[in-house]
Amino acid sequence: MARHSRLLCLLLTILLLPASADWPALDDATLQAVTQRHGALAADRLRAWQALIDDYRDQPLHTQLQATNDFFNRLEFVDDIVHWRRADYWATPVEFLTSGGGDCEDFAIAKYFTLLEMGVPESRLQITYVKALRLSQAHMVLAYYANPAADPLVLDNLAIDVLPGSARSDLVPVYSFNGYGLWLSKARGRSQRVGGAERLSLWQDLKSRLAQQRASAGQAFAQTIEKKR
């Protein structure tokens, strides 16, 4: 009975995790399924991701930002049309890690959800669509704002260091968003709020897949617990 109670409490804790998490538990059954479908390296990347979150959850903010930037920047950049056979696809962190690569949106999104898991307030994070002047193309980065008027710190798959936005003259902000809203940029930093992020269909599709992954993993975990009773 005591073991059953502990397992039930564990299950409830996992299923009540914040909505930012798209993978409720990296138990043996989950990792075995990932290995069978995506290979051992994919499972290793998920373990390393969980270790990153656990190891840096209580670290100073800049350490969290730099560690997260370093971790994901090791992954391979791959265009959506090659990687997903779609013109534009925003992958969840698990999809990004298990597939071993993605484009700039996938890097920014994975960093966003990872920092949420470390305890960084969502209100301070902005996934930001920019024009990369040196590449002369659209690009996406993650920005951290200490306050709404602050010079943001930029996490970029094209840059090793996390730098202030004022030091990134090569990036011109176009719009930014998070779970709270959508902002259009007329100059550096945030500009006028123009509504909720639900206006971005790719963001809504991503959130839907996050919810599905959480539900599927939660069901699998519940089945594993039932077998152990």
Side-chain angles (χ1 to χ4, degrees):
M1 177 65 71
R3 186 180 70 172
H4 173 69
S5 297
R6 288 195 298 271
L7 290 173
L8 179 59
C9 289
L10 178 60
L11 175 60
L12 289 173
T13 299
I14 289 169
L15 294 181
L16 293 175
L17 281 173
S20 57
D22 66 319
W23 204 257
L26 293 180
D27 53 42
D28 290 341
T30 295
L31 291 170
Q32 183 177 3
V34 169
T35 300
Q36 292 174 348
R37 183 171 182 180
H38 301 284
L41 290 178
D44 288 343
R45 286 191 291 270
L46 288 181
R47 291 189 187 94
W49 179 45
Q50 186 63 63
L52 171 77
I53 294 170
D54 292 341
D55 292 345
Y56 286 89
R57 183 173 279 116
D58 297 321
Q59 294 296 313
L61 173 72
H62 198 279
T63 301
Q64 293 176 324
L65 298 180
Q66 189 64 61
T68 299
N69 201 56
D70 291 343
F71 178 84
F72 286 103
N73 283 7
R74 295 196 296 264
L75 274 71
E76 182 181 2
F77 180 91
V78 189
D79 284 326
D80 282 342
I81 197 67
V82 175
H83 200 50
W84 302 108
R85 302 294 189 270
R86 293 172 63 172
D88 202 3
Y89 183 80
W90 291 6
T92 71
V94 166
E95 291 171 333
F96 182 37
L97 286 163
T98 55
S99 66
D103 67 359
C104 58
E105 292 95 341
D106 303 328
F107 282 90
I109 289 166
K111 294 171 186 179
Y112 172 83
F113 283 107
T114 297
L115 288 168
L116 289 184
E117 288 302 308
M118 289 182 183
V120 176
E122 187 171 20
S123 60
R124 298 186 180 183
L125 297 172
Q126 294 278 328
I127 299 173
T128 307
Y129 180 85
V130 302
K131 182 177 181 180
L133 298 180
R134 292 174 186 169
L135 300 177
S136 189
Q137 67 182 37
H139 184 49
M140 190 170 279
V141 298
L142 179 64
Y144 169 85
Y145 291 83
N147 60 68
D151 186 11
L153 297 173
V154 179
L155 288 74
D156 185 358
N157 65 290
L158 298 177
I160 296 173
D161 296 321
V162 175
L163 297 173
S166 58
R168 296 299 306 273
S169 59
D170 58 313
L171 303 180
V172 177
V174 179
Y175 70 83
S176 60
F177 65 95
N178 61 17
Y180 293 118
L182 171 67
W183 290 264
L184 290 182
S185 300
K186 297 180 180 179
R188 295 197 173 276
R190 296 187 201 175
S191 187
Q192 185 177 3
R193 188 179 187 276
V194 294
E198 66 272 5
R199 296 179 59 179
L200 300 173
S201 60
L202 288 169
W203 180 244
Q204 291 304 105
D205 177 61
L206 168 68
K207 289 175 62 179
S208 176
R209 280 181 282 113
L210 284 171
Q212 291 172 4
Q213 288 176 0
R214 281 174 54 81
S216 297
Q219 291 170 5
F221 190 78
Q223 292 171 0
T224 301
I225 287 179
E226 186 65 27
K227 291 178 181 178
K228 292 181 179 178
R229 289 178 58 186

